[in-house]
């Protein structure tokens, strides 16, 4: 077990104690952020050069699952913020030094949806846009944002180049009243706003080059971790957090079942339908977690041996990720329908975690039907439709 996972599991009650206060605050509490920071979770995928672990990706996913299963909001933020160093570690060395040179515990926010528009100028771009869903953003001092930019030498006003831009906190505004949702309230996934900001070339990524591992080959040629394509790794981190939350629903249900007695005086542990749903859910959750963790493990072994991840491997991994998440969510849904009326009380952690799961399932990386269709189509040479996260 990786030391970070061991630390989080050994101190899990302290994380759990920060979940409800984070929900009430609308963001992870300062104490919750300190716990995540001190655990080393956000440095698991960070380059060793900057105090990171360059950890086995299986360990990162397993650590996220363990935390999210007990504290949804903290686990989600730990996953999203924790996966960003995987990308930043491949970027231009000047950018890496700006982000981590003085503080190895710097946190970075996102999101990646290509909502921004960038006009080409000498040495960089002028960026504008407003992005929703910037998880953990209040504790972050940098952000990476999805952008459609003008092509080099292309027509002005035609925004067709898919890119990621990296900005310091002074260059964007957090819209504090923008996160009003039914679940994952404690993630503080607020909107960020950018107005006419210059972003130099060395703080940008071409998304296709990132997914093709060109930045890793250029800037981290000796680091095996970064040979895994970003468009496979990042969705897997979202899968891991979602799987953890689904596991949390089932865990809370199991805890509740142990002491629950029906109005007719029957212990629910003696209800065969109730117990069958729990047993099946536990098996499905375990299978789903193993599916995602083992898949990234096989890919990591491949790159460790000098192999290259093919397009077919990425497609297969993505369809397995969304299928595993869907299986886990359906398992959670099955137990929730057996939880009874009292599970709907706001004091009951079952309903709270169920709402968290419902919001998590809305993430673009968890939308499954387009991935199923695209994967099946790829078997017949049909191109993947634009916008499908596969």
């Amino acid at each position: 077990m990786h030391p970070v996972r061991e630390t989080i599991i050994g101190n899990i009650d302290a994380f759990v104690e920060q979940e409800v206060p984070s929900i009430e605050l609308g963001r992870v509490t300062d104490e919750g952020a300190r716990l995540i920071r001190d655990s080393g979770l956000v440095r698991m995928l960070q380059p060793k050069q900057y105090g990171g672990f360059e950890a086995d990706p299986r360990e990162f996913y397993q650590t996220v699952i363990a935390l999210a299963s007990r504290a949804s909001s903290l686990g989600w933020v730990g996953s999203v913020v924790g996966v960003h160093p995987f990308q930043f570690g491949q970027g231009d060395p000047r950018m890496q030094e700006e982000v981590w040179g003085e503080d190895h515990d710097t946190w970075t926010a996102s999101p990646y949806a290509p909502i921004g528009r960038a006009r080409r100028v000498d040495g960089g771009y002028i960026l504008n846009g407003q992005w929703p869903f910037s998880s953990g953003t209040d504790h972050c001092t940098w952000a990476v944002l999805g952008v459609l930019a003008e092509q080099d030498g292309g027509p002005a006003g035609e925004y067709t180049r898919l890119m990621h831009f990296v900005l310091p906190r002074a260059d964007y505004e957090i819209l504090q009243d923008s996160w009003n949702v039914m679940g994952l309230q404690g993630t503080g996934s607020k909107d960020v706003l950018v107005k006419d900001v210059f972003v130099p070339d060395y703080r940008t990524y071409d998304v296709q080059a990132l997914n093709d591992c060109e930045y890793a080959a250029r800037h981290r040629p000796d680091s095996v971790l970064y040979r895994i394509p970003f468009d496979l790794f990042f969705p897997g981190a979202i899968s891991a957090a979602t799987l953890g939350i689904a596991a949390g629903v089932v865990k809370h249900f199991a805890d509740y079942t142990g002491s629950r007695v029906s109005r007719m005086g029957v212990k629910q542990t003696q209800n065969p339908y109730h117990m069958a749903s729990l047993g099946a859910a536990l098996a499905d959750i375990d299978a789903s977690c193993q599916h995602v963790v083992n898949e990234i493990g096989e890919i990591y072994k491949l790159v460790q041996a000098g192999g290259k991840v093919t397009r077919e491997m990425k497609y297969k991994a993505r369809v397995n990720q969304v299928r595993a998440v869907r299986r886990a969510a359906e398992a959670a849904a099955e137990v929730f329908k057996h939880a009874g009326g009292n599970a709907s009380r706001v004091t009951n952690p079952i309903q709270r975690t169920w709402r968290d799961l419902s919001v998590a399932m809305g993430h673009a990386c968890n939308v499954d039907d387009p991935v199923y269709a695209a994967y099946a189509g790829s078997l017949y040479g049909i191109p993947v439709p634009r916008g499908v996260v596969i």
Side-chain angles (χ1 to χ4, degrees):
M1 183 185 295
H2 194 278
V4 172
R5 181 154 61 110
E6 189 173 15
T7 296
I8 288 175
I9 292 173
N11 199 30
I12 195 64
D13 288 345
F15 287 93
V16 172
E17 287 175 2
Q18 296 304 313
E19 181 70 12
V20 172
S22 295
I23 291 169
E24 294 171 346
L25 187 62
R27 63 168 175 82
V28 172
T29 63
D30 292 347
E31 176 61 12
R34 184 195 67 77
L35 288 167
I36 296 171
R37 184 175 289 107
D38 289 353
S39 74
L41 173 57
V42 176
R43 288 186 288 110
M44 287 188 77
L45 305 176
Q46 197 160 303
K48 293 179 181 178
Q49 177 187 355
Y50 290 106
F53 294 97
E54 293 185 32
D56 184 321
R58 289 168 295 195
E59 290 285 357
F60 178 73
Y61 285 7
Q62 288 171 328
T63 303
V64 167
I65 291 169
L67 179 55
S69 70
R70 300 296 307 279
S72 300
S73 294
L74 275 68
W76 184 271
V77 169
S79 178
V80 174
V81 176
V83 80
H84 293 152
F86 176 79
Q87 176 179 359
F88 278 53
Q90 302 175 46
D92 189 290
R94 289 172 292 178
M95 183 269 293
Q96 293 187 48
E97 185 63 24
E98 286 181 349
V99 173
W100 291 316
E102 295 183 2
D103 182 4
H104 292 172
D105 282 313
T106 296
W107 282 20
T108 56
S110 39
Y112 291 107
I115 294 173
R117 297 294 180 264
R119 177 169 53 87
R120 194 71 166 109
V121 295
D122 288 342
Y125 298 84
I126 299 296
L127 177 64
N128 284 278
Q130 180 174 329
W131 293 256
F133 309 125
S134 183
S135 297
T137 194
D138 288 294
H139 295 287
C140 298
T141 52
W142 288 79
V144 54
L145 303 172
V147 176
L148 287 176
E150 293 177 340
Q151 295 281 355
D152 291 347
E158 288 191 8
Y159 304 103
T160 57
R161 187 181 182 191
L162 186 58
M163 303 186 74
H164 293 163
F165 284 15
V166 176
L167 283 72
R169 179 68 183 82
D171 285 353
Y172 60 90
E173 177 186 357
I174 299 172
L175 302 184
Q176 291 294 337
D177 295 329
S178 57
W179 187 235
N180 300 298
V181 289
M182 72 174 195
L184 289 179
Q185 298 100 321
T187 64
S189 302
K190 302 169 184 177
D191 288 17
V192 295
L193 177 67
V194 175
K195 294 182 178 179
D196 293 324
V197 167
F198 173 73
V199 182
D201 284 324
Y202 73 87
R203 284 204 258 113
T204 70
Y205 296 84
D206 179 276
V207 172
Q208 189 59 57
L210 174 66
N211 293 338
D212 290 340
C213 300
E214 293 180 16
Y215 293 102
R218 187 182 313 155
H219 300 135
R220 296 281 173 194
D222 298 325
S223 299
V224 175
L225 172 64
Y226 305 113
R227 296 174 193 170
I228 301 173
F230 175 81
D231 54 346
L232 183 161
F233 199 103
F234 174 76
I238 297 299
S239 297
T242 309
L243 290 170
I245 297 169
V249 174
V250 177
K251 182 187 184 305
H252 287 310
F253 176 81
D255 292 343
Y256 183 53
T257 295
S259 59
R260 184 182 172 206
V261 178
S262 76
R263 66 180 62 188
M264 301 301 294
V266 178
K267 292 184 177 180
Q268 290 305 296
T269 54
Q270 302 302 311
N271 183 324
Y273 306 109
H274 196 95
M275 297 301 286
S277 71
L278 176 57
L282 290 169
D284 281 340
I285 292 289
D286 183 61
S288 296
C289 292
Q290 289 195 43
H291 206 169
V292 170
V293 171
N294 290 344
E295 185 93 53
I296 197 67
E298 290 303 311
I299 287 170
Y300 189 50
K301 288 178 184 177
L302 173 71
V303 298
Q304 283 180 308
K308 181 177 176 61
V309 180
T310 66
R311 181 180 62 183
E312 291 74 22
M313 291 175 185
K314 288 199 291 185
Y315 289 177
K316 178 175 176 289
R318 278 294 294 133
V319 78
N320 286 339
Q321 286 170 359
V322 296
R323 189 61 188 162
V325 167
R326 180 59 57 184
R327 186 190 307 119
E330 289 172 351
E334 187 63 24
V335 298
F336 188 74
K337 79 179 186 180
H338 287 280
N342 281 327
S344 298
R345 298 186 185 278
V346 294
T347 54
N348 194 312
I350 300 176
Q351 60 79 30
R352 185 183 72 230
T353 313
W354 169 253
R355 288 187 287 108
D356 293 338
L357 178 61
S358 299
V359 172
M361 290 301 292
H363 193 284
C365 291
N366 287 333
V367 177
D368 55 343
D369 281 341
V371 177
Y372 300 150
Y375 176 66
S378 73
L379 303 178
Y380 302 98
I382 300 172
V384 174
R386 183 178 176 86
V388 179
V389 185
I390 186 172

